[in-house]
Amino acid sequence: MGFDEKLLQEYYADSPDDISLEDVDMARVPRHVSIIMDGNGRWATARGLDRSQGHVAGVESLREAVTTSVRLGFDVLSVYAFSTENWKRPQREVNLLMHLFATTLVKELPLFHQENVRLRFLGDLEALPEETRLVFQRGLDETADHTGMVFALAVNYGSRAEIARAARELAAEVAAGEREAGSIDADAISDHLYTKGLPDPDLLIRTSGELRLSNYLLWQLAYSEFYVTDTYWPDFTRWDMLRAVRSFQARDRRFGGVK
């Protein structure tokens, strides 16, 4: 995606001492940035608040991340919002998250229209409450014609389940005589993942300092650069995104080869 120089300069005015817009090469920003948004509960607990307040605060950071990604010219921003394992959390917290998904999406639709953002979902949405599914479908319908950045929200997503689903679909095609087993290669598998048609992430950001993938995009992250920050997600700002991009641009990406 392109970027608006004037908007970008205004957006990144008043920089902190350690980072500024001049520290990144706008010609080499990653196409696809993916984020594991972690630390909402710990952010709230550290402040003596209920965990639910951390999730509410995390919505504000996500709004800023979307705007920041548009300003920086990313093609895709994907975020890990709710995993297949998150159903194990207390029912009250799960209910709150489902409600937040629905209400937040409705509230943010004007932003998606303003920024020409196209919405996409990764994961099995059939298990979600009807209210949430209907709102998600509304978001898909209303942004389907947008031509700007893709914002992909991973909800009820688990990478192992995604890969198993792709294997079942490919096996069914072989059984139906629609393809030869020998034709199944990496591209065929990619075409049966939720991320079909999207570039693999160039950069994965994980907040709160955890050093694991948590069953997220295991196939797609094969050659992604990782950036881990101790910052809890509700405290993640446009400046943290700039720090991550600066770190990405300092890497020597060889993709298994030698330079």
Side-chain angles (χ1 to χ4, degrees), residues 156-179:
N156 195 27
Y157 174 88
S159 189
R160 288 181 173 179
E162 175 188 36
I163 294 169
R165 170 180 170 271
R168 288 193 300 272
E169 291 180 355
L170 287 164
E173 291 175 9
V174 172
E178 297 170 359
R179 74 157 62 235

Short mmCIF file of all heavy atoms in Angstrom, two decimals, residues 156-179:
data_model
loop_
_atom_site.label_atom_id
_atom_site.label_comp_id
_atom_site.label_asym_id
_atom_site.label_seq_id
_atom_site.Cartn_x
_atom_site.Cartn_y
_atom_site.Cartn_z
N ASN A 156 -11.36 -17.58 17.39
CA ASN A 156 -11.52 -19.03 17.47
C ASN A 156 -10.56 -19.70 16.48
O ASN A 156 -10.94 -20.56 15.69
CB ASN A 156 -12.97 -19.47 17.20
CG ASN A 156 -13.21 -20.91 17.62
OD1 ASN A 156 -12.56 -21.43 18.53
ND2 ASN A 156 -14.14 -21.58 16.96
N TYR A 157 -9.33 -19.26 16.56
CA TYR A 157 -8.29 -19.73 15.65
C TYR A 157 -7.27 -20.58 16.40
O TYR A 157 -6.84 -20.25 17.50
CB TYR A 157 -7.56 -18.54 15.01
CG TYR A 157 -6.38 -18.97 14.17
CD1 TYR A 157 -6.55 -19.29 12.83
CD2 TYR A 157 -5.10 -19.10 14.73
CE1 TYR A 157 -5.47 -19.73 12.06
CE2 TYR A 157 -4.03 -19.54 13.98
CZ TYR A 157 -4.22 -19.85 12.65
OH TYR A 157 -3.17 -20.29 11.90
N GLY A 158 -6.88 -21.68 15.79
CA GLY A 158 -5.78 -22.51 16.25
C GLY A 158 -5.07 -23.05 15.03
O GLY A 158 -5.71 -23.60 14.12
N SER A 159 -3.77 -22.91 14.98
CA SER A 159 -3.03 -23.28 13.77
C SER A 159 -3.07 -24.77 13.49
O SER A 159 -3.19 -25.20 12.34
CB SER A 159 -1.58 -22.80 13.87
OG SER A 159 -0.92 -22.95 12.64
N ARG A 160 -2.96 -25.61 14.53
CA ARG A 160 -3.01 -27.04 14.29
C ARG A 160 -4.37 -27.45 13.73
O ARG A 160 -4.45 -28.28 12.81
CB ARG A 160 -2.72 -27.80 15.59
CG ARG A 160 -1.26 -27.72 16.02
CD ARG A 160 -1.00 -28.49 17.29
NE ARG A 160 0.42 -28.54 17.62
CZ ARG A 160 0.92 -29.14 18.68
NH1 ARG A 160 0.12 -29.74 19.55
NH2 ARG A 160 2.23 -29.13 18.90
N ALA A 161 -5.44 -26.87 14.25
CA ALA A 161 -6.78 -27.16 13.72
C ALA A 161 -6.90 -26.68 12.28
O ALA A 161 -7.52 -27.33 11.43
CB ALA A 161 -7.84 -26.50 14.59
N GLU A 162 -6.29 -25.54 11.98
CA GLU A 162 -6.31 -25.00 10.61
C GLU A 162 -5.62 -25.94 9.63
O GLU A 162 -6.13 -26.22 8.54
CB GLU A 162 -5.64 -23.63 10.59
CG GLU A 162 -5.50 -23.02 9.21
CD GLU A 162 -4.66 -21.76 9.20
OE1 GLU A 162 -3.68 -21.68 9.98
OE2 GLU A 162 -4.97 -20.85 8.41
N ILE A 163 -4.45 -26.44 10.02
CA ILE A 163 -3.69 -27.34 9.15
C ILE A 163 -4.44 -28.68 8.98
O ILE A 163 -4.49 -29.25 7.88
CB ILE A 163 -2.27 -27.55 9.69
CG1 ILE A 163 -1.50 -26.22 9.62
CG2 ILE A 163 -1.54 -28.63 8.91
CD1 ILE A 163 -0.18 -26.22 10.35
N ALA A 164 -5.03 -29.18 10.08
CA ALA A 164 -5.81 -30.42 9.99
C ALA A 164 -7.00 -30.23 9.07
O ALA A 164 -7.34 -31.13 8.27
CB ALA A 164 -6.27 -30.84 11.38
N ARG A 165 -7.63 -29.07 9.15
CA ARG A 165 -8.77 -28.76 8.26
C ARG A 165 -8.32 -28.76 6.80
O ARG A 165 -9.01 -29.31 5.92
CB ARG A 165 -9.34 -27.39 8.65
CG ARG A 165 -10.36 -26.79 7.69
CD ARG A 165 -10.82 -25.44 8.23
NE ARG A 165 -11.62 -24.69 7.27
CZ ARG A 165 -11.12 -23.85 6.36
NH1 ARG A 165 -9.80 -23.68 6.29
NH2 ARG A 165 -11.91 -23.20 5.54
N ALA A 166 -7.16 -28.17 6.52
CA ALA A 166 -6.64 -28.15 5.16
C ALA A 166 -6.35 -29.56 4.67
O ALA A 166 -6.65 -29.91 3.52
CB ALA A 166 -5.37 -27.30 5.10
N ALA A 167 -5.81 -30.41 5.55
CA ALA A 167 -5.51 -31.80 5.18
C ALA A 167 -6.79 -32.56 4.85
O ALA A 167 -6.83 -33.33 3.87
CB ALA A 167 -4.77 -32.49 6.31
N ARG A 168 -7.84 -32.34 5.63
CA ARG A 168 -9.12 -33.01 5.36
C ARG A 168 -9.68 -32.58 4.02
O ARG A 168 -10.19 -33.41 3.24
CB ARG A 168 -10.12 -32.71 6.48
CG ARG A 168 -9.83 -33.40 7.80
CD ARG A 168 -11.01 -33.32 8.74
NE ARG A 168 -11.38 -31.95 9.06
CZ ARG A 168 -10.86 -31.25 10.08
NH1 ARG A 168 -9.92 -31.78 10.84
NH2 ARG A 168 -11.26 -30.02 10.32
N GLU A 169 -9.61 -31.29 3.73
CA GLU A 169 -10.14 -30.79 2.46
C GLU A 169 -9.37 -31.36 1.28
O GLU A 169 -9.96 -31.76 0.26
CB GLU A 169 -10.10 -29.27 2.44
CG GLU A 169 -11.09 -28.61 3.40
CD GLU A 169 -11.02 -27.10 3.36
OE1 GLU A 169 -10.15 -26.56 2.65
OE2 GLU A 169 -11.85 -26.45 4.03
N LEU A 170 -8.05 -31.41 1.40
CA LEU A 170 -7.23 -31.97 0.32
C LEU A 170 -7.49 -33.46 0.15
O LEU A 170 -7.57 -33.97 -0.98
CB LEU A 170 -5.75 -31.71 0.60
CG LEU A 170 -5.31 -30.26 0.42
CD1 LEU A 170 -3.95 -30.02 1.08
CD2 LEU A 170 -5.24 -29.90 -1.06
N ALA A 171 -7.64 -34.17 1.27
CA ALA A 171 -7.94 -35.61 1.19
C ALA A 171 -9.28 -35.84 0.51
O ALA A 171 -9.43 -36.79 -0.29
CB ALA A 171 -7.95 -36.21 2.59
N ALA A 172 -10.25 -35.00 0.80
CA ALA A 172 -11.56 -35.13 0.18
C ALA A 172 -11.48 -34.89 -1.33
O ALA A 172 -12.15 -35.56 -2.12
CB ALA A 172 -12.55 -34.15 0.82
N GLU A 173 -10.64 -33.95 -1.74
CA GLU A 173 -10.47 -33.68 -3.17
C GLU A 173 -9.83 -34.87 -3.88
O GLU A 173 -10.22 -35.22 -5.00
CB GLU A 173 -9.62 -32.42 -3.37
CG GLU A 173 -10.33 -31.14 -2.94
CD GLU A 173 -9.42 -29.92 -3.04
OE1 GLU A 173 -8.30 -30.05 -3.59
OE2 GLU A 173 -9.83 -28.85 -2.57
N VAL A 174 -8.86 -35.50 -3.21
CA VAL A 174 -8.23 -36.69 -3.78
C VAL A 174 -9.25 -37.82 -3.89
O VAL A 174 -9.36 -38.51 -4.92
CB VAL A 174 -7.01 -37.12 -2.94
CG1 VAL A 174 -6.49 -38.47 -3.42
CG2 VAL A 174 -5.90 -36.07 -3.00
N ALA A 175 -10.03 -38.02 -2.82
CA ALA A 175 -11.03 -39.10 -2.81
C ALA A 175 -12.08 -38.89 -3.88
O ALA A 175 -12.60 -39.87 -4.45
CB ALA A 175 -11.69 -39.17 -1.43
N ALA A 176 -12.39 -37.63 -4.17
CA ALA A 176 -13.41 -37.33 -5.18
C ALA A 176 -12.83 -37.33 -6.59
O ALA A 176 -13.56 -37.10 -7.56
CB ALA A 176 -14.04 -35.96 -4.88
N GLY A 177 -11.54 -37.59 -6.72
CA GLY A 177 -10.91 -37.61 -8.04
C GLY A 177 -10.66 -36.23 -8.60
O GLY A 177 -10.41 -36.08 -9.80
N GLU A 178 -10.70 -35.21 -7.74
CA GLU A 178 -10.52 -33.83 -8.21
C GLU A 178 -9.05 -33.43 -8.27
O GLU A 178 -8.72 -32.42 -8.89
CB GLU A 178 -11.27 -32.87 -7.29
CG GLU A 178 -12.79 -33.10 -7.30
CD GLU A 178 -13.50 -32.31 -6.22
OE1 GLU A 178 -12.80 -31.60 -5.44
OE2 GLU A 178 -14.73 -32.39 -6.13
N ARG A 179 -8.18 -34.21 -7.63
CA ARG A 179 -6.74 -33.93 -7.71
C ARG A 179 -5.97 -35.21 -7.44
O ARG A 179 -6.49 -36.14 -6.82
CB ARG A 179 -6.32 -32.83 -6.74
CG ARG A 179 -6.26 -33.23 -5.29
CD ARG A 179 -5.35 -32.32 -4.48
NE ARG A 179 -5.76 -30.94 -4.44
CZ ARG A 179 -4.99 -29.92 -4.81
NH1 ARG A 179 -3.77 -30.16 -5.26
NH2 ARG A 179 -5.41 -28.68 -4.75
#
